[in-house]
Amino acid sequence: MKIAIAGFGALGSRVGIKLQKAGHEVTGIDGWPAHIAAINTKGLKVVNDAGESKRYFMPVVTPKEIHGTFDLIILLTKTPQLNQMLTDIAHIITPQTKLLVLSNGLGNIEVIQKHVDREQIYAGVTLWTSSLAAPGEIHVTGTGSIRLQAIGGGDAEDIITALNQGELNAELSRDVMTDIWRKAGINAVLNPLSVLLDASIAEFGTAGNQMELSLGILNEIKAVGEAVGIRVDVQDIMDTLAELLKPEVAGAHYPSMYQDIQGAKRTEIDFLNGYFAKLGAQHQISMPINSLITQLIHAKEDIVRVK
Ligand code: NAD
């Protein structure tokens, strides 16, 4: 398959390497000059858990430079960057192009629908992780999986097959919106609280009231889910959180929002707690905890920029 990865950052480049290793023709699309230059000259450096590193070569170009057509474009920008990326690569999208979004958060499908027909959209959630240590260098740990579904009701088999040729452990989701909400629920707890409490995931797990804090956020999400017909299983999310908070599982890992704040970048808060709060307001559901968390993260984004 001819595949472009739009957003060749931490996760996009990890996914890209795996697909290229499986024999797919992969091109990365990114706009960070130092990152592109490093990959195109020295290859992408991938460091694993054991500290071993390998370099991988593949073409990475800017949206302006990309040309031709692709069977599949995997969208892996940060959620607030998605609309701009789709605008910038509009010239390579044809009615036959399939677009698979794996970015976190809510609202991605609405954004993509502004650019292409619903029948071209595939959405998924992924448990693969990766972090950018420097331009052209990612650090990867453990394994992951992907669950995806065709949003326009079509068949996702060819995409699932391609992803599994790259050992990405992909499977069909029968209800990807529930999967997306479930993951957004987990992220709506771990991401902002790590920033506001200045804590790694394992450190958050040591807080005596971590369950109360998590339930406060999740019960509001459950209420708004009921209003829009999406079932949010709070107990299931709490069980997953309990697993993730174990020091042997979490290690010294900080969620991506913590890393965004450290890098003075805009966070995905409006597509997590902020999205739920907005939806709550539209349905007259009181969402005080998620609203306050959204405001606090926006304040933090402004403060780190002037520091
Ligand atoms: P990232 O910031 O490392 O990568 C995004 C890349 O997109 C950047 O390199 C940026 O330069 C590029 N980009 C954005 N807009 C662009 C534009 N208009 N033109 C050109 N380049 C553009 O982010 P990430 O950590 O890889 O995360 C991507 C998405 O995947 C996020 O939604 C994140 O929440 C989700 N996710 C990440 C992980 C992880 O471990 N990194 C795990 C699961 C889900």
Side-chain angles (χ1 to χ4, degrees), residues 6-13 29-32 35 62-63 75-79 81-82 84-86 88 102-105 108 126-132 183 187 253 256 260 265 268:
F8 206 68
L11 194 57
S13 57
I29 308 174
D30 209 282
W32 183 15
H35 186 54
T62 64
L75 299 162
L76 264 167
T77 62
K78 286 276 167 61
T79 300
Q81 303 165 328
L82 180 59
Q84 188 60 51
M85 173 60 93
L86 286 164
D88 295 348
L102 294 176
S103 302
N104 275 335
N108 293 320
T126 179
L127 295 180
W128 288 97
T129 62
S130 175
S131 56
L132 261 171
K183 184 153 192 225
N187 286 330
H253 184 68
S256 60
D260 288 340
K265 290 186 192 158
E268 295 184 308

Side-chain angles (χ1 to χ4, degrees), residues 187-204:
N187 286 330
V189 171
L190 294 180
N191 276 279
L193 293 182
S194 76
V195 172
L196 298 172
L197 302 173
D198 189 18
S200 69
I201 293 178
E203 286 164 356
F204 171 58

